Amino acid sequence: MTPEASSPAASKRSTLSARVERIFDHTSDTRSLFLSSTGKTLRFAPGQFISISIPLGDETRSRPYTIASSPTDAGPFEICFNRVPGGRGVDWLFERRVGDTVDFAGPFGTFTLDADPAPNLEIGFIAEGTAIAPIRPMLKRALAGPGSPSKMHLLYAAQDHEHILYASELDELARIAPDFSYETVIAPPAKIYDRLRELTNARWIVADTDRTRQFYICGVGDGVIQLRDLLRGSGYERRAVHYERW
């Protein structure tokens, strides 16, 4: 999946190229491409995306794809995406092979982790399916920082256990980082956001009166906006609830 809209500045940025170094299939319909920039080193903040030029014969489309890897990771950077009905652009990406090149611009996006979070800040992350892509590097940044938050919890939803991506990595983070925990939500696609709202309400609204937390929410459709409004309507500051709707 991809951010809802690319930056209006995208057309004004110079085009870069990257080589497909590796392909990893998470599931039959979800894939990661590992890309190496053929020019300058790509510098980005956790949560940002690139805009890929996709030639489709009759037209060239520009589609945003979130960078799923961390800026501090060695080697290629990663984008993660899944097939969608009628998605000609993503079908083109699924046809790429190791050694192919893709043209892109970026990085873009303001859905990023605060550079210096308060040392005693509690952060809630909420994601579903491939929308874990921007959250993953945020978690790594927050856990690696010298003034890491006092507590972080991730609610991660998918239609089945197979589509809980990076599960072993999340398990390892929870094992080695005492201040990080996560829980998975398995539900039919039509019910995913109902369950996420229920859990968000129980954990971060009715459980206490603390409204100093910050949140990062990423997912598909109006469910993201409903989660945003639920938290803001319960007393959390508007600027404390960060979100990106795909």
Side-chain angles (χ1 to χ4, degrees):
M1 288 292 185
T2 59
E4 186 177 53
S6 58
S7 166
S11 61
K12 301 178 182 178
R13 299 282 188 96
S14 59
T15 299
L16 306 172
S17 293
R19 182 182 186 274
V20 179
E21 299 290 350
R22 185 161 67 91
I23 298 170
F24 178 75
D25 286 329
H26 299 271
T27 69
S28 61
D29 64 356
T30 306
R31 172 172 290 184
S32 281
L33 294 183
F34 293 82
L35 307 171
S36 288
S37 178
T38 58
K40 64 180 182 180
T41 301
L42 183 67
R43 301 186 184 280
F44 61 94
Q48 289 191 305
F49 62 91
I50 59 172
S51 188
I52 296 180
S53 297
I54 300 177
L56 297 174
D58 56 334
E59 62 176 326
T60 296
R61 295 182 180 178
S62 183
R63 291 290 181 266
Y65 289 89
T66 297
I67 303 169
S69 50
S70 172
T72 57
D73 289 346
F77 64 93
E78 177 185 354
I79 59 171
C80 179
F81 49 90
N82 65 318
R83 289 191 187 276
V84 294
R88 295 174 64 199
V90 78
D91 285 346
W92 183 86
L93 276 180
F94 265 93
E95 294 169 358
R96 298 309 94 200
R97 298 293 179 261
V98 171
D100 287 351
T101 59
V102 297
D103 295 331
F104 70 94
F108 307 115
T110 58
F111 181 64
T112 57
L113 188 72
D114 287 349
D116 296 303
N120 295 318
L121 179 68
E122 181 178 344
I123 302 179
F125 297 94
I126 307 173
E128 59 111 344
T130 55
I132 192 67
I135 302 299
R136 182 189 182 214
M138 289 184 190
L139 287 171
K140 291 184 177 181
R141 168 67 63 83
L143 289 169
S148 59
S150 61
K151 187 176 181 181
M152 291 178 287
H153 187 75
L154 165 66
L155 292 179
Y156 184 18
Q159 61 186 350
D160 54 43
H161 289 286
E162 183 183 27
H163 286 84
I164 296 293
L165 310 181
Y166 310 107
S168 59
E169 181 179 299
L170 291 171
D171 287 341
E172 180 64 9
L173 285 176
R175 185 186 69 82
I176 65 175
D179 296 328
F180 170 68
S181 60
Y182 84 103
E183 60 187 296
T184 57
V185 180
I186 306 301
K191 297 293 185 181
I192 279 179
Y193 282 99
D194 292 338
R195 289 289 294 125
L196 286 174
R197 285 193 300 273
E198 291 171 4
L199 291 169
T200 296
N201 185 65
R203 172 175 285 274
W204 290 308
I205 296 176
V206 302
D208 57 40
T209 58
D210 182 4
R211 296 296 182 266
T212 64
R213 302 177 180 94
Q214 288 204 8
F215 295 90
Y216 292 84
I217 309 166
C218 190
V220 180
D222 291 340
V224 174
I225 304 304
Q226 293 166 5
L227 283 167
R228 177 202 69 182
D229 292 346
L230 174 65
L231 289 163
R232 289 178 175 176
S234 72
Y236 288 101
E237 290 188 16
R238 180 183 180 87
R239 63 182 180 180
V241 184
H242 311 265
Y243 70 98
E244 184 164 83
R245 179 176 66 174
W246 292 358

